[in-house]
Amino acid sequence: MAEQPLHEHTLGNGLRVVVCEDHVVPLAAVNIWYGVGSRHEQTGVDGKSRTGLAHLFEHLMFQGSANVAEGEHAALMESAGATFNASTSFERTNYYETVPVSHLELALWLEADRMGTLPAALTQENLDNQRDVVKNERRQRYDNQPYGTAFERLCRLTFPPGHPYAHTPIGSMEDLNATTIEDCVEFFRTWYAPGNAVLSIVGDVDPQAAIAMAERCFGGIPAGPAAPPARPGEVAPLAGVILEEVDEEVPSPAYFAMLPLPPDGGHAIEAAELAAEILGGGSGSRLYDRMVRRDQIATEVWTGVTRLVGGPSLAIVEAIGPDPAKIAEVLDEELAAFAADGPTEDETARATAQAERGLLERTETVTGLANALSANATQFDDPARVFTSAARAAAVTGAEIKDAARRWLAPGTRTALSYGGAK
């Protein structure tokens, strides 16, 4: 991806603004990353646990602020022909809109009003309503979905109790039920300060005019307290296979595994993610060829990677088949062979090409580029890092992938779930 000029400015209250011109279409993308996710939530401190708050706020932020009525944010964006949404992960929460450039200042003003004044509109009715929305989301996407709690279970096996990554952003029903207005106000004042946020604007804009708009909209928000440091996310290496037998009604037996990888940000994660891709990333992968085509012990198999900055990244292996024990045995055989032999030249070329293509596709729109700029500014203090992401993947060699497979994808070292099948 060719590097594009970035224009950066930090407001007096600490909000970091990044602007990139793109005059292909008359649109502007507004993207705010707050440095708060589920890893920053309170778990077991003084007997109090409030998991799920970061994700709950993703919903509460659309329920109005001092100068915006409930539902008005969405109504104004829809009337402007905008697309908008939000998302929460372990390490951040982001809010984004892509608007006709004529409505850029409206989008900025709406974001600024909720950043500066959300507690003014936070009512018990809003909290109860959105808590029910989140609880229903948990039921539909996790608790009542086949294998829906697999990732959550694996995190609990991989990380010790109370560890910042031991729980997932959806939170627990118990903690959601216990959350009060006071908890929400404290959480907002702790994490939703301008100095804990990055605002990226990408599109058909004049950079200085866009920065001036940001100054007008956000400049009057008090700086607020500095965000507290996140708890350490390191974890001791796994000594073997930690297996949990899951007694749950599912359509078919299955085997899930989690293997810790290096944290995001260095060369090591590039090689480790490519190794995971070669191992199980689609129908051309080693695991698919062995388990589905040749041995026919699985009907599907898949491997993916969740990158984390403050702790180990995570590789997930999912295989659906009648004999989870046999799947585990074959997985170890393939991991051992990969560590011993490394990838072929063709596997390396295909994996690096797929990684490059994926990175480019995620930043080819103003919406995607704005998100990537906010991500790299928030996590690595370098928004321009996005322009070298594809080159970093392309630079990984077969020897480095082999080393990564031996170090991070070793047989007999993982957490795992075995689902027995329908009853």
Side-chain angles (χ1 to χ4, degrees):
M1 181 180 186
E3 185 163 355
Q4 301 175 47
L6 298 181
H7 303 263
E8 296 189 59
H9 177 71
T10 300
L11 305 189
N13 56 19
L15 178 66
R16 185 173 185 178
V17 182
V18 182
V19 181
C20 183
E21 293 179 84
D22 186 329
H23 300 292
V24 174
V25 291
L27 297 173
V30 173
N31 186 291
I32 295 186
W33 269 48
Y34 291 92
V36 58
S38 59
R39 74 163 300 198
H40 303 93
E41 295 166 346
Q42 194 171 352
T43 53
V45 178
D46 298 327
K48 181 179 179 181
S49 179
R50 289 296 182 268
T51 63
L53 255 177
H55 177 241
L56 178 61
F57 255 88
E58 178 195 322
H59 292 257
L60 291 174
M61 287 281 276
F62 286 96
Q63 297 306 299
S65 45
N67 302 293
V68 179
E70 181 180 353
E72 192 174 7
H73 186 118
L76 287 169
M77 286 291 91
E78 287 168 355
S79 67
T83 58
F84 60 96
N85 213 327
S87 67
T88 310
S89 75
F90 285 103
E91 299 180 324
R92 54 83 186 149
T93 306
N94 72 327
Y95 302 86
Y96 51 96
E97 301 89 7
T98 298
V99 298
V101 71
S102 57
H103 289 76
L104 171 59
E105 192 154 10
L106 172 63
L108 292 174
W109 182 84
L110 287 168
E111 289 291 357
D113 201 63
R114 59 185 180 181
M115 176 189 282
T117 70
L118 181 84
L122 187 55
T123 65
Q124 188 65 49
E125 182 181 3
N126 281 344
L127 172 57
D128 291 343
N129 177 270
Q130 294 309 303
R131 175 172 30 217
D132 286 345
V133 170
V134 172
K135 288 165 63 178
N136 193 49
E137 179 182 343
R138 179 180 174 93
R139 293 185 191 100
Q140 290 182 340
R141 296 178 55 193
Y142 300 86
D143 297 337
N144 297 329
Q145 191 71 234
Y147 322 110
T149 60
F151 186 76
E152 186 176 51
R153 290 173 181 273
L154 286 168
C155 286
R156 287 202 299 264
L157 288 178
T158 302
F159 301 101
H163 189 279
Y165 295 102
H167 70 282
T168 55
I170 194 65
S172 73
M173 289 289 197
E174 294 76 14
D175 289 351
L176 288 167
N177 286 332
T179 297
T180 65
I181 289 281
E182 292 73 24
D183 292 327
C184 294
V185 171
E186 179 185 3
F187 191 84
F188 180 83
R189 289 177 176 164
T190 300
W191 299 107
Y192 276 76
N196 195 40
V198 172
L199 165 65
S200 293
I201 303 169
V202 176
D204 189 19
V205 299
D206 172 82
Q208 296 310 313
I211 289 171
M213 279 187 195
E215 186 75 62
R216 286 196 300 274
C217 293
F218 291 89
I221 301 173
R231 291 177 292 140
E234 296 81 8
V235 67
L238 296 172
V241 176
I242 302 173
L243 177 67
E244 178 181 304
E245 300 278 350
V246 183
D247 184 17
E248 195 172 273
E249 187 171 344
V250 291
S252 171
Y255 186 83
F256 288 73
M258 177 176 282
L259 299 92
L261 302 181
D264 196 5
H267 191 66
I269 185 58
E270 306 295 340
E273 183 163 15
L274 288 172
E277 173 68 22
I278 292 169
L279 180 69
S283 59
S285 69
R286 292 184 171 211
L287 292 183
Y288 191 95
D289 182 63
R290 173 74 188 276
M291 293 185 181
V292 179
R293 289 198 184 94
R294 290 162 49 195
D295 291 3
Q296 298 183 355
I297 59 171
T299 56
E300 60 181 89
V301 63
W302 169 86
T303 298
V305 171
T306 298
R307 290 199 184 196
L308 298 172
V309 175
S313 300
L314 303 169
I316 310 295
V317 179
E318 169 191 328
I320 309 298
D323 188 345
K326 181 62 177 177
I327 288 172
E329 178 185 329
V330 171
L331 175 61
D332 275 331
E333 291 174 5
E334 289 301 311
L335 292 174
F338 196 14
D341 303 333
T344 65
E345 288 187 13
D346 182 60
E347 285 176 326
T348 300
R350 281 192 289 111
T352 54
Q354 288 170 348
E356 286 183 87
R357 183 171 62 252
L359 290 163
L360 293 172
E361 287 175 348
R362 289 195 291 274
T363 55
E364 66 182 358
T365 65
V366 294
T367 304
L369 180 56
N371 188 64
L373 291 172
S374 292
N376 282 279
T378 301
Q379 297 182 309
F380 307 112
D381 194 30
D382 181 13
R385 188 176 180 272
V386 64
F387 299 120
T388 59
S389 56
R392 287 194 303 276
V396 177
T397 66
E400 289 170 329
I401 293 173
K402 178 181 178 181
D403 288 343
R406 184 173 63 246
R407 169 68 179 85
W408 302 103
L409 302 178
T413 308
R414 60 182 176 269
T415 54
L417 305 174
S418 178
Y419 289 82
K423 296 178 180 179

